[in-house]
Amino acid sequence: MAGDGQDGDFTTLQSLIWPELGICTEHDLYLKTDGPVAVSVSARDLRLMTGGEADFSTWFNLFNLEKWRRECDLSSLQLCLKGTGAFELSVFLASRSQSWDQVVCDFVTLPEDGALQIDLSHLLQAPFGEGLLYFKLRAMEAGHLTDALWQTRDQPKRVPELALAVTTFKREAEVARTVERFAKFRASSWMKDHVQMIITDNGQSVELAPQEGVSLVPNENLGGAGGFTRGLLEARARGASHCLFMDDDASIHMESLERTWMLLAYATDPKTAIAGAMISEQHRWAIWENGALFHSRCQPLHMGTDLRDIFEMIDMENQATLPVPDTFYGGWWYFAFPLAQVEHLAFPFFVRGDDVSFSLANDFNILTLNGVVSFQESFTEKESPQTWYLDLRSHMAHHLSLPQLDVGARGVLKIALWFFLRNLPRMHYDTLAAINLAMEDVMQGPDFFDKNADMATRRGDLKALTAQEAWQPLTAQVSLPATRSKPPNWAYRFLMKLSLNGLLIPGFSRLGSRITVEGKNRGKIGMVWGASEITILNAAQDKYYTVRHSKRAAWQQARRLLRNARQFLKAYDGLAQAYRNEYPHYTSETYWQAKLGLSGPAKSQKEAAE
C-alpha cells in the first residue's frame, strides 16, 4: 500500500484537521491554546513560545482508540509529531464512566529534520483498549507544530476504490465550488488513485470544465432517490468498491475523506459503512445529529451536544462508540458504504426517507467517526407542508414495507396522528392538509410511488395548497407582533391543551394572543399555547409568514383525518402485504435501470409478471 498515507513503515490513520473558512472557523473545535501561541490556519502551523500550551482534546482531533481497536483489530499504534522544539507532552485516555488516565507525561524534543514517534501500542491491550486519546503540548522553548499523526504498522484488510456520488438539481454554483475543492484536494492527496467523484445532474444544467477524477452524468429528475441511485450504478460500472453519498455543496473538511477511506481499509468487517454527523450552519459548535435511529419517527442522536465543552463532547463520543441497534441509519449528506453489500437500492421516495430505508434494508455495519461531519442548513428552516408530506408518507411506507419495523395497523396510524397533533395547535392548516394527502397517497399502494417518482404532480398540488405557510419578504412596512421567547406557565399551557389551543373555546380568534416566534423555536410546540395568531420569523430575520386560528380549517382537516384513519385500518392487511411484496422489486437494479432509462421501460411487479 505504498503511498497510501504511508510514512516509512507506518500508515497514517488520522492527521490533524484545521479550521477552514467556508466550512467552520470555530478554533476551539479543533485546538485550544493558552499563553504565547500563534496559529496560522493557512500554513497549518502552530508557533509556541516558552510556556505556550496547545491542547487537542477536541472532537475533530482526538483519536477514538476503542473504535479503531474493536473495528480494525489494531495491534500497533503510535503518535507522530512533526515540528521543532522542546515540549512537555501529555497524552490522556478518556474512558467511559471512570476517571481519565494521563498515559504519557514526558519531556520531548522534536527533531528539525524529522518527526518524533511515541509508541502507544500498549494502550491497545488490557487493562486499556477502551476510550479516547488526545494530547497536549507545553513549550519549554520556542517551537512549532505542523502536524500530529496517529499511525499504525498494521496492514490494511483491503484497498477501497471510493466513488463520491453527488446529486444536484439547479445548483450550478454549489457544484462548481465542490468540484474545485475536490479536484484541489485529490491532486495533492495520497488518495488520488483511489477516489473519484460522480456528479449526477438531475437538472441537466451543470457545465463543468474537464477535471481529472470527476464525471458529470445528466439524469432525469427523480429526486435524491433517483440521483443517488444513478450515482451508485455509475460507481459500480466504474469499478468502485465503495460509494459515498454526499451533498452537492460538500460542506465537509476534505480530510474526512481520508479518515473514511482508512477506516474502510482497516475494518475487519467488510460490511462496514460510515455515517457522517451533521452540524447546523447556524451553530457550528453544536451537533445536530451524530447518527440516528428510526422507529415510528426519526430520532437524531446526541442533538445539541456542545463540542466546545470537553465533558459533553467526550461523553458523546464515548457513547457513539458503543454498538448500535438495528434501527440505526445514516443520512445521505455523508454516507459511505461497500457496494458489494447493497441488496436493495433506494425506494422511489423522490426525497426524504430514502436514506432511512436504504440503511435498514441492507446489512451494513454502520459506524460514526469523529471529525467526519457535514455542515448543513438547519432542517427547521427547511420545514414546509411539502416536507411534512414527504416525511409522513416515507414513515408510513417504512413500517408497511420492512418486516423488522412491523408495528401493526394502529402503530402506523399513531404516526400519522402524531404528525397531525404536532401541527394542529400550531395552526398550520396547510400542513394538516399535506398530512392528509400523504395518508391518502400511501393508501394507494406502492405503485403510487412508482407512478409519481418525479413528484411533478404532487409538487404542484402541495404548492397550490400552501397559502398561509409560504414565506414572505420582511419589509420595513411590516409590523410584527411581540416576540415570545419562552413558553407560558404550566397551568396556562395545561388549560390550553385541554381546549386544543382554543379550538374548543368560542371566539378564540379574538381572545388569543398574537405572537412572533423566532425560527429557532419554530418546532417547539410549547411556544404556541394560547396564541390565535403566530408569525414565524426566519433565522436571518428577512422572511416571515403568519398563521391564524380557524375552527373551520381545523375541523375540516380533522374530519378528513378521521375518514382516512377508518379507511387505513380497513385496508391495512392488504396494504402491508402489497408493500412487502413489491418492495424488493422497487429497490432492485432491474427496476432502476429501466426507470432511469438505462434499459427498457420500468414496470410494476404486477405488470412484469403479466
Side-chain angles (χ1 to χ4, degrees):
M1 203 173 100
D4 291 343
Q6 238 175 335
D7 186 1
D9 294 332
F10 291 89
T11 299
T12 297
L13 302 175
Q14 180 178 306
S15 58
L16 289 180
I17 292 180
W18 295 77
E20 182 179 351
L21 184 63
I23 303 297
C24 180
T25 56
E26 300 259 359
H27 279 226
D28 284 354
L29 306 188
Y30 303 85
L31 72 159
K32 292 172 278 189
T33 61
D34 187 39
V37 180
V39 180
S40 173
V41 171
S42 60
R44 299 195 167 199
D45 195 353
L46 192 66
R47 299 294 176 101
L48 302 92
M49 300 301 290
T50 303
E53 297 183 0
D55 179 355
F56 291 88
S57 59
T58 64
W59 187 65
F60 280 96
N61 286 317
L62 62 78
F63 183 79
N64 194 318
L65 175 75
E66 183 175 348
K67 187 171 291 185
W68 282 92
R69 179 194 60 79
R70 186 188 68 221
E71 299 295 337
C72 304
D73 194 27
L74 290 185
S75 61
S76 63
L77 179 69
Q78 72 170 19
L79 174 61
C80 176
L81 302 177
K82 294 188 175 184
T84 59
F87 300 91
E88 177 189 84
L89 169 67
S90 297
V91 179
F92 293 86
L93 177 62
S95 301
R96 189 181 306 105
S97 302
Q98 66 184 57
S99 296
W100 303 351
D101 290 308
Q102 188 176 20
V103 293
V104 173
C105 182
D106 213 340
F107 301 125
V108 298
T109 300
L110 276 58
E112 292 188 11
D113 57 350
L116 178 69
Q117 297 171 328
I118 301 98
D119 185 20
L120 300 173
S121 299
H122 62 287
L123 298 179
L124 296 165
Q125 310 300 322
F128 303 109
E130 295 184 354
L132 317 170
L133 290 174
Y134 67 88
F135 72 96
K136 296 181 180 181
L137 291 174
R138 184 163 66 91
M140 310 303 292
E141 62 182 24
H144 74 114
L145 180 75
T146 57
D147 212 344
L149 315 172
W150 298 93
Q151 301 179 322
T152 184
R153 287 182 183 272
D154 296 19
Q155 293 299 305
K157 313 298 189 297
R158 63 193 62 81
V159 179
E161 300 299 333
L162 183 61
L164 281 56
V166 175
T167 296
T168 189
F169 180 77
K170 304 290 186 181
R171 283 164 55 90
E172 297 84 359
E174 288 83 357
V175 170
R177 286 195 295 269
T178 293
V179 169
E180 182 181 359
R181 289 186 68 229
F182 172 75
K184 182 179 179 181
F185 160 79
R186 183 179 180 274
S188 61
S189 173
W190 51 261
M191 286 180 65
K192 179 178 180 180
D193 295 332
H194 305 296
V195 64
Q196 60 178 302
M197 176 177 282
I198 301 166
I199 305 288
T200 302
D201 179 16
N202 281 356
Q204 302 186 31
S205 60
V206 174
E207 295 182 4
L208 294 175
Q211 292 274 13
E212 185 180 356
V214 179
S215 303
L216 180 63
V217 180
N219 196 54
E220 181 184 354
N221 184 24
L222 300 180
F228 283 116
T229 296
R230 180 65 183 272
L232 186 157
L233 296 174
E234 294 290 338
R236 278 180 173 170
R238 288 163 167 75
S241 64
H242 291 74
C243 188
L244 168 57
F245 290 164
M246 61 187 294
D247 281 343
D248 57 7
D249 57 4
S251 293
I252 63 167
H253 292 291
M254 286 294 166
E255 291 84 357
S256 297
L257 301 178
E258 296 181 341
R259 292 190 184 183
T260 297
W261 193 96
M262 277 297 173
L263 189 57
L264 294 174
Y266 276 85
T268 56
D269 187 348
K271 298 182 294 186
T272 296
I274 309 295
M278 198 262 269
I279 291 176
S280 168
E281 292 178 344
Q282 287 181 263
H283 303 294
R284 297 174 191 262
W285 43 265
I287 287 287
W288 181 275
E289 176 178 312
N290 191 17
L293 304 179
F294 179 84
H295 197 277
S296 298
R297 57 182 179 267
C298 298
Q299 303 167 51
L301 298 178
H302 311 293
M303 178 181 278
T305 298
D306 187 342
L307 297 178
R308 301 168 300 183
D309 185 312
I310 183 173
F311 299 107
E312 280 193 38
M313 181 273 295
I314 292 289
D315 181 62
M316 178 197 74
E317 187 61 23
N318 269 323
Q319 292 300 316
T321 302
L322 296 171
V324 299
D326 292 339
T327 53
F328 188 88
Y329 73 91
W332 280 1
W333 49 78
Y334 191 105
F335 187 67
F337 56 92
L339 286 165
Q341 201 59 34
V342 177
E343 295 183 10
H344 296 278
L345 303 180
F347 190 81
F349 283 123
F350 190 74
V351 294
R352 297 261 179 166
D354 38 14
D355 49 4
V356 175
S357 63
F358 187 75
S359 290
L360 301 187
N362 292 300
D363 186 18
F364 297 130
N365 172 35
I366 304 176
L367 308 174
T368 58
L369 192 57
N370 62 289
V372 175
V373 61
S374 179
F375 293 85
Q376 295 277 315
E377 180 185 351
S378 171
F379 274 19
T380 303
E381 289 280 301
K382 298 177 182 178
E383 184 183 293
S384 69
Q386 179 169 295
T387 62
W388 281 92
Y389 165 87
L390 292 166
D391 281 341
L392 178 57
R393 70 176 198 162
S394 68
H395 280 44
M396 295 180 73
H398 296 329
H399 284 281
L400 289 165
S401 303
L402 302 176
Q404 67 267 38
L405 293 179
D406 184 12
V407 292
R410 285 177 173 78
V412 179
L413 185 57
K414 284 180 182 177
I415 299 170
L417 292 175
W418 184 87
F419 272 60
F420 193 89
L421 293 174
R422 287 291 298 177
N423 286 282
L424 181 62
R426 297 168 63 227
M427 300 175 292
H428 278 54
Y429 305 125
D430 296 347
T431 294
L432 296 184
I435 287 169
N436 273 309
L437 183 60
M439 289 186 70
E440 292 155 5
D441 287 348
V442 168
M443 287 190 287
Q444 294 187 51
D447 291 357
F448 171 83
F449 290 89
D450 172 46
K451 294 172 182 176
N452 292 272
D454 63 359
M455 270 282 289
T457 300
R458 277 293 175 260
R459 278 181 284 159
D461 296 338
L462 291 162
K463 184 177 181 180
L465 69 77
T466 304
Q468 285 195 327
E469 297 171 41
W471 291 104
Q472 305 294 329
L474 180 60
T475 64
Q477 289 72 39
V478 177
S479 178
L480 300 182
T483 299
R484 180 176 282 182
S485 57
K486 63 180 181 179
N489 66 68
W490 71 268
Y492 185 66
R493 294 200 307 271
F494 179 72
L495 290 173
M496 286 295 101
K497 288 177 184 180
L498 291 178
S499 71
L500 300 179
N501 203 25
L503 190 59
L504 304 179
I505 299 176
F508 187 72
S509 295
R510 299 185 303 275
L511 299 174
S513 303
R514 288 165 172 76
I515 64 171
T516 295
V517 174
E518 294 179 334
K520 64 181 180 181
N521 295 321
R522 185 183 183 194
K524 297 178 180 178
I525 197 168
M527 301 294 291
V528 307
W529 297 112
S532 61
E533 180 181 296
I534 306 168
T535 296
I536 306 295
L537 182 63
N538 73 338
Q541 299 190 357
D542 59 1
K543 294 179 182 179
Y544 77 101
Y545 67 83
T546 299
V547 293
R548 295 175 177 86
H549 179 86
S550 170
K551 287 180 171 56
R552 179 177 177 275
W555 287 118
Q556 181 183 37
Q557 295 304 324
R559 286 191 294 269
R560 184 179 173 188
L561 178 74
L562 290 174
R563 288 195 301 269
N564 287 335
R566 284 195 297 268
Q567 184 180 345
F568 179 79
L569 291 174
K570 290 178 181 178
Y572 175 79
D573 290 339
L575 203 58
Q577 193 63 50
Y579 274 92
R580 290 176 191 177
N581 286 345
E582 295 223 24
Y583 186 85
H585 170 67
Y586 285 130
T587 58
S588 68
E589 183 166 339
T590 301
Y591 168 78
W592 275 108
Q593 288 276 0
K595 196 70 177 175
L596 293 167
L598 306 178
S599 62
K603 299 179 179 180
S604 70
Q605 189 175 33
K606 181 179 179 181
E607 291 170 333
E610 292 175 349

